[in-house]
Amino acid sequence: MRPFLTLVRNAASLVSTRAVCSESGSKWIKPAGRDTGLKTYNSLTRQKEPLVLAKEGVATWYSCGPTVYDHAHLGHACSYVRFDILQRILTRLFGINVTHVMVITDIDDKIIQRGLEENVSPFVLARMYEEEFKRDMMALKVLPPAVYMRVTENIPQIVAFIEGIISNGHAYATGQGDVYFDTRSIGSRYGKLVNFGDAAEAPGVKEKRDPRDFALWKASKPQEPYWMSPWGRGRPGWHIECSTIASSVFGSQLDIHSGGLDLAFPHHENEIAQCEAYHKCDQWGNYFLHSGHLHLKGSSEKMSKSLKNYITIKDYLQSHSANEFRLFCLLTKYRSAIDYSDASMNEARSTLSAISAFIHNAQGYMQGQLLCQTIQESFLWERLSAAQASVLSALADDFDTPKAMDAIMSLIYHGNCQLQPVTKSNGTSRSPAVFGAMLTYIRDIMDVLGVDLLDRKEFHDDLSGVLHNVVEQLVRFRSEVRNFALSVEGQATQDLQNSVQPPRKKPHPDRVPLLKACDALRKDLVPLGVQIKDRGTTSTWEITQQQKEIKDKKS
């Protein structure tokens, strides 16, 4: 077999005798349509490009789903959560209707092998792991696509698609019943995502005309499931499934194609070749978006089942929340590699706690439970307006979520600077409206990003509504006891709802044990996940992550 580089040098002379699409297709063509005003990094050009959609207000989006032979892990979760964030931004913030289709690979070498190992039908095995994957995505608050499509339910369409590629002169059948794509038939058009130097397949298949040629149809082997085709019994190759299914829904033009960086070659490269050969077009997919790999801290390798360096989504959710993982993803750019470690998860948890704490304190101020110095109201209105503009600008520039989160956390910082508690009101004026506007915006923008700050189940663990009310009454009772103990002699009948703290005098000696008991109760509730904050003569409380952290340490 000739060396790969020789094949590359001779490709130009070979294509003249074959049916070849226009050579202009080797360069990216800016789509005709409406410019959204957004920019996104396009793997086809290796730079940011204006996002132009064929139909105004609508984005067609295809993504490669899982090969369902095992549990999904955090590497998968990272990619799906990141693209869920992008789709939410397009839909909720920029008013673009994203029509998302995802394929489930439910027949594959790995599925067949696992089925043989476990003595179970590969179809049953695939369906089990498919349902688990969907439950994992729901637990991570990843919005489902408009439709999931299975490979096994599209075999006739796949066979017809392969026949179309053959009739267009871009594929060939072998005597063994395999069908291969003829990469030389499209000349320099093969390699839009990856240079030829990175695109060589290992030689060894004698029936191939070129080592880069890849299977569209595989002849069946003993103990493998098969379908009938013009080339005999067999099953689809990996890449052809996505080309066929995406084309069956979106036709000859696709706005956005997404997937992990590891899928760029050979999977997405081969999808492009197949679709452009079938549709006889210069450009099938306009934008290819790739998410960066997830690494375990200290490892240069991506998280992978084959390397056995993975954490399943199910195991992760035993000790962490969906909101925490989403914050973890938001704090890095979607196309950047990301390290998973205790430190990175603590940063995500700390960020989430800071947002929650600000909301809690701002609500306390608005309700009159937190006495503060005079608020610089006009300054906060300015910071709110600036934050809104910065977030919008950041997300319009290749979905820069770290920059957007910086703007949100800066707004929270300035809000906290104004929420300086005082023990006496001293006639200070109140400015609750600006904090109401800040809270509304923070909740709304975090909801756009998929972080539910109102999710009581997540922040309160398994605390039911009944137990929530029990804690409320407990804290109120403690507050009354504490105020009674703090009152100086002759002031025991003081109005307990008065927000002004009594004069600073020592409480009656007989009431000191009550104060100690109140302090002990507050301390004892912390490990149980209840944090009480005494603010003058009033007390507020919230559920924290403390209980979860203690469980994590014990485990």
Side-chain angles (χ1 to χ4, degrees):
M1 183 171 291
R2 290 175 295 173
F4 172 66
L5 291 178
T6 302
L7 293 179
V8 173
R9 285 194 293 268
N10 294 338
S13 60
L14 290 170
V15 297
S16 61
T17 61
R18 300 175 184 273
V20 182
C21 295
S22 167
E23 287 299 319
S24 65
S26 62
K27 297 181 180 179
W28 186 69
I29 306 166
K30 184 176 180 179
R34 294 299 185 100
D35 193 330
T36 61
L38 285 75
K39 288 186 176 182
T40 186
Y41 185 89
N42 190 354
S43 295
L44 289 170
T45 62
R46 296 176 178 82
Q47 65 183 18
K48 294 180 186 178
E49 302 288 356
L51 180 60
V52 179
L53 303 177
K55 186 175 182 180
E56 184 177 9
V58 177
T60 55
W61 187 311
Y62 180 82
S63 66
C64 301
T67 300
V68 283
Y69 73 98
D70 205 343
H71 306 288
H73 58 64
L74 291 187
H76 302 126
C78 188
S79 181
Y80 292 120
V81 169
R82 282 170 152 180
F83 286 123
D84 178 71
I85 291 169
L86 268 57
Q87 291 178 2
R88 286 171 180 265
I89 290 169
L90 287 175
T91 302
R92 296 280 302 278
L93 207 58
F94 296 104
I96 297 170
N97 184 351
V98 176
T99 305
H100 179 205
V101 171
M102 179 184 291
V103 70
I104 300 289
T105 300
D106 60 344
I107 188 67
D108 175 85
D109 292 342
K110 294 177 180 178
I111 296 173
I112 294 170
Q113 181 61 34
R114 180 62 61 84
L116 291 173
E117 292 172 357
E118 300 186 5
N119 195 27
V120 62
S121 162
F123 303 113
V124 172
L125 181 86
R127 195 59 56 87
M128 289 168 51
Y129 284 117
E130 175 188 336
E131 293 307 313
E132 181 180 291
F133 167 78
K134 291 177 180 177
R135 289 195 298 271
D136 286 342
M137 293 300 102
M138 185 178 299
L140 290 172
K141 303 179 183 178
V142 173
L143 298 175
V147 62
Y148 288 105
M149 300 186 74
R150 301 187 184 101
V151 175
T152 57
E153 294 174 352
N154 287 271
I155 301 297
Q157 295 90 327
I158 291 173
V159 170
F161 201 88
I162 295 172
E163 289 181 307
I165 296 175
I166 292 175
S167 66
N168 289 343
H170 299 293
Y172 56 92
T174 71
Q176 303 299 320
D178 299 306
V179 180
Y180 290 99
F181 187 89
D182 188 353
T183 54
R184 282 186 282 178
S185 72
I186 60 173
S188 62
R189 291 170 55 82
Y190 188 70
K192 286 192 172 185
L193 289 173
V194 181
N195 294 329
F196 277 136
D198 300 321
E201 288 191 6
V205 181
K206 295 181 179 180
E207 292 80 7
K208 285 186 179 184
R209 296 175 180 173
D210 188 293
R212 299 171 303 163
D213 293 354
F214 53 90
L216 304 182
W217 187 262
K218 296 182 178 182
S220 66
K221 298 177 182 178
Q223 294 185 300
E224 287 187 352
Y226 62 84
W227 290 263
M228 295 305 300
S229 77
W231 319 286
R233 296 178 176 181
R235 56 188 173 86
W238 177 31
H239 319 298
I240 195 66
E241 65 190 46
C242 289
S243 294
T244 301
I245 292 173
S247 295
S248 71
V249 178
F250 299 122
S252 61
Q253 186 178 60
L254 177 70
D255 290 321
I256 300 172
H257 193 307
S258 66
L261 185 61
D262 55 313
L263 295 178
F265 181 83
H267 191 48
H268 294 166
E269 190 71 67
N270 293 347
E271 282 184 60
I272 293 171
Q274 292 166 157
C275 285
E276 293 180 357
Y278 177 86
H279 295 295
K280 299 181 181 180
C281 64
D282 290 331
Q283 184 166 292
W284 167 63
N286 292 331
Y287 300 88
F288 275 77
L289 276 56
H290 291 109
S291 60
H293 290 152
L294 179 73
H295 302 263
L296 286 175
K297 182 66 175 179
S299 172
S300 60
E301 302 289 346
K302 69 169 185 173
M303 186 175 288
S304 168
K305 292 175 185 175
S306 61
L307 297 174
K308 300 186 184 302
N309 63 344
Y310 64 91
I311 301 169
T312 67
I313 296 173
K314 184 178 180 180
D315 287 343
Y316 165 85
L317 290 172
Q318 294 295 318
S319 56
H320 298 84
S321 71
N323 274 344
E324 288 168 358
F325 189 78
R326 191 162 291 250
L327 255 297
F328 167 73
C329 292
L330 286 166
L331 294 176
T332 57
K333 293 184 178 180
Y334 75 92
R335 53 190 177 90
S336 300
I338 184 171
D339 280 335
Y340 179 84
S341 64
D342 289 340
S344 59
M345 286 309 303
N346 286 338
E347 181 185 5
R349 176 176 289 180
S350 176
T351 302
L352 189 60
S353 296
I355 297 171
S356 178
F358 172 72
I359 290 175
H360 179 78
N361 291 337
Q363 286 177 330
Y365 173 78
M366 293 179 68
Q367 294 167 344
Q369 296 176 343
L370 177 61
L371 301 179
C372 292
Q373 61 186 9
T374 300
I375 302 297
Q376 299 178 28
E377 186 172 355
S378 60
F379 172 76
L380 288 182
W381 283 115
E382 291 174 1
R383 297 316 308 165
L384 174 58
S385 179
Q388 291 171 324
S390 295
V391 169
L392 198 65
S393 175
L395 297 181
D397 183 13
D398 195 30
F399 311 99
D400 193 339
T401 57
K403 191 172 182 180
M405 287 304 303
D406 283 345
I408 293 168
M409 298 311 294
S410 176
L411 176 63
I412 288 175
Y413 167 78
H414 289 295
N416 283 331
C417 288
Q418 297 295 310
L419 290 176
Q420 296 300 318
V422 295
T423 56
K424 295 182 180 180
S425 63
N426 293 328
T428 56
S429 60
R430 287 173 39 75
S431 306
V434 67
F435 282 100
M438 292 169 68
L439 291 185
T440 299
Y441 173 70
I442 291 170
R443 280 177 175 164
D444 286 349
I445 193 61
M446 295 308 294
D447 185 60
V448 166
L449 300 173
V451 179
D452 185 3
L453 298 175
L454 297 177
D455 188 348
R456 175 172 294 180
K457 181 179 180 181
E458 178 149 312
F459 283 100
H460 291 191
D461 277 335
D462 298 323
L463 192 65
S464 67
V466 173
L467 291 180
H468 182 276
N469 291 330
V470 169
V471 175
E472 179 69 35
Q473 292 301 319
L474 175 64
V475 173
R476 182 174 297 179
F477 174 75
R478 174 188 172 279
S479 182
E480 292 183 2
V481 171
R482 179 173 175 275
N483 286 340
F484 173 77
L486 284 172
S487 61
V488 296
E489 190 173 359
Q491 290 184 325
T493 60
Q494 172 189 343
D495 182 5
L496 297 178
Q497 302 304 317
N498 189 346
S499 62
V500 180
Q501 187 176 3
R504 287 185 174 275
K505 296 182 179 180
K506 291 184 179 181
H508 196 283
D510 292 344
R511 298 172 189 171
V512 171
L514 291 177
L515 280 177
K516 291 183 178 180
C518 289
D519 290 342
L521 177 60
R522 179 182 61 189
K523 182 179 180 180
D524 291 343
L525 288 177
V526 170
L528 300 177
V530 179
Q531 184 176 27
I532 299 176
K533 295 181 180 180
D534 294 319
R535 307 181 185 282
T537 58
T538 61
S539 298
T540 60
W541 66 278
E542 62 179 325
I543 299 297
T544 68
Q545 296 293 326
Q546 182 71 28
Q547 184 181 23
K548 183 178 291 186
E549 291 173 358
I550 291 175
K551 290 180 180 178
D552 293 347
K553 291 178 181 178
K554 289 182 178 180
S555 62

